Amino acid sequence: MLRRTPWARRAEQGDENPYWISFSDLMSALLLIFILTLVVVIVRLQDQQSALTEAKQTVAQQEAMFVAQVDTLRESERIRAEMLTEIADKLAKQGIEVQVDESNSVLSIPTSLLGFESGSYEVAEAHRGRAVTIGKVVAEVISTDERYRVLDTVFVEGHTDNAPFDGLDGTGNWGLSTFRAISLWRVWESADGANRLKALRSEAGEPLFSVSGYGQTRPVEANQATESGKAKNRRIDLRFTVVRPTAADLAKIVEHEAEVSESVGR
């Protein structure tokens, strides 16, 4: 009688191969790992898509903010140009010629209209009525429809030519230009109609008008070798500045841009 070998007895115990069982388990484990990896990838892709969508929304909001600020600034500049042109036209009809600069932001009043004598800063009495008229027209025009609300400040700036002046306790042309601007402002403060200017306030609640002097440092005519050249620089400018974005507004925009860049870069 033939003796069966161990291998033959194992074959009779069943058809399953232990090696195939191990391979099947391995394939199941790999398939599970693949599925889990795929799920993780899908979740990450969804997170990235969500972040990208949020970033696009932030960019759109940022662009809208920029557009709104630019539109507001353009409208303010348009209103300012409209006011200065209207002031010049109304004064011209009364025989008072003033100049509006190319940027439509400065109204220049030659000091000859105010009768300042050489070295003097007092508005001549014979010219006081003309000075009052200028103030009244300015007050009337910028107060119409409260258009002054687009303005941040109106500077009443005094300017002289480059002829040396040693008076006013050594302050020279700087002191002379400053006191001339102050003198005009005081005429407006005390005159009916023109005195409305001192009551006007900016959106920040501060007085709308302020006074300063620059002496000969900001000439509009470089050639001062002739009397006509010097005369162009002897003037009082009304510089109208419009409300612009604050440092806080600009910082907020920069902060948003940094956040968007960081989100997109993740």
Side-chain angles (χ1 to χ4, degrees):
M1 184 175 185
L2 296 174
R3 178 177 293 183
R4 288 175 297 178
T5 64
W7 289 105
R9 288 197 299 269
R10 289 179 185 176
E12 290 177 357
Q13 292 174 0
D15 295 329
E16 292 185 359
N17 189 326
Y19 294 103
W20 282 106
I21 293 173
S22 299
F23 182 75
S24 176
D25 291 342
L26 178 61
M27 291 300 295
S28 297
L30 290 175
L31 180 60
L32 179 60
I33 292 172
F34 174 76
I35 293 173
L36 290 175
T37 303
L38 183 61
V39 169
V40 171
V41 171
I42 292 174
V43 170
R44 287 184 177 178
L45 286 175
Q46 289 177 339
D47 289 342
Q48 290 178 354
Q49 182 64 36
S50 177
L52 184 59
T53 301
E54 184 178 348
K56 288 180 178 179
Q57 291 174 346
T58 303
V59 170
Q61 292 172 353
Q62 193 68 42
E63 290 177 348
M65 186 185 301
F66 272 117
V67 170
Q69 289 183 341
V70 170
D71 288 345
T72 298
L73 187 56
R74 284 176 176 168
E75 179 62 10
S76 296
E77 291 177 344
R78 184 195 67 77
I79 294 174
R80 177 179 62 184
E82 178 182 85
M83 288 190 293
L84 266 65
T85 300
E86 191 174 330
I87 291 170
D89 290 344
K90 285 180 176 292
L91 290 174
K93 291 178 181 178
Q94 300 187 56
I96 302 174
E97 296 293 335
V98 296
Q99 300 294 323
V100 177
D101 75 337
E102 293 180 356
S103 67
N104 292 311
S105 63
V106 178
L107 191 77
S108 289
I109 307 169
T111 55
S112 58
L113 291 177
L114 306 173
F116 292 122
E117 296 181 3
S118 179
S120 171
Y121 57 83
E122 294 291 347
V123 175
E125 190 62 34
H127 295 73
R128 187 180 177 87
R130 186 179 293 164
V132 170
T133 298
I134 294 173
K136 284 183 177 180
V137 170
V138 171
E140 175 190 345
V141 170
I142 69 175
S143 296
T144 300
D145 298 327
E146 296 188 334
R147 286 182 288 181
Y148 68 87
R149 292 191 179 279
V150 305
L151 301 174
D152 180 54
T153 307
V154 180
F155 295 97
V156 183
E157 302 176 344
H159 300 270
T160 68
D161 58 30
N162 64 353
F165 176 68
D166 298 325
L168 296 175
D169 296 327
T171 59
N173 283 328
W174 171 66
L176 182 61
S177 65
T178 303
F179 279 107
R180 283 179 173 176
I182 292 172
S183 179
L184 178 60
W185 177 249
R186 284 178 173 169
V187 168
W188 289 348
E189 275 189 315
S190 60
D192 291 339
N195 60 4
R196 287 183 294 168
L197 294 174
K198 67 180 180 180
L200 298 180
R201 294 289 184 273
S202 68
E203 286 296 305
E206 300 295 332
L208 186 62
F209 282 77
S210 62
V211 179
S212 58
Y214 294 94
Q216 74 275 19
T217 62
R218 296 187 179 183
V220 292
E221 174 56 58
N223 181 13
Q224 299 194 62
T226 63
E227 178 53 33
S228 62
K230 291 179 182 292
K232 290 180 181 178
N233 292 322
R234 295 194 295 267
R235 68 197 190 278
I236 290 181
D237 285 345
L238 303 185
R239 186 177 302 275
F240 295 72
T241 64
V242 297
V243 177
R244 296 181 180 277
T246 64
D249 293 332
L250 296 177
K252 188 175 181 180
I253 291 172
V254 171
E255 182 181 347
H256 280 313
E257 288 181 341
E259 290 177 352
V260 170
S261 298
E262 184 178 354
S263 298
V264 173
R266 288 175 180 171

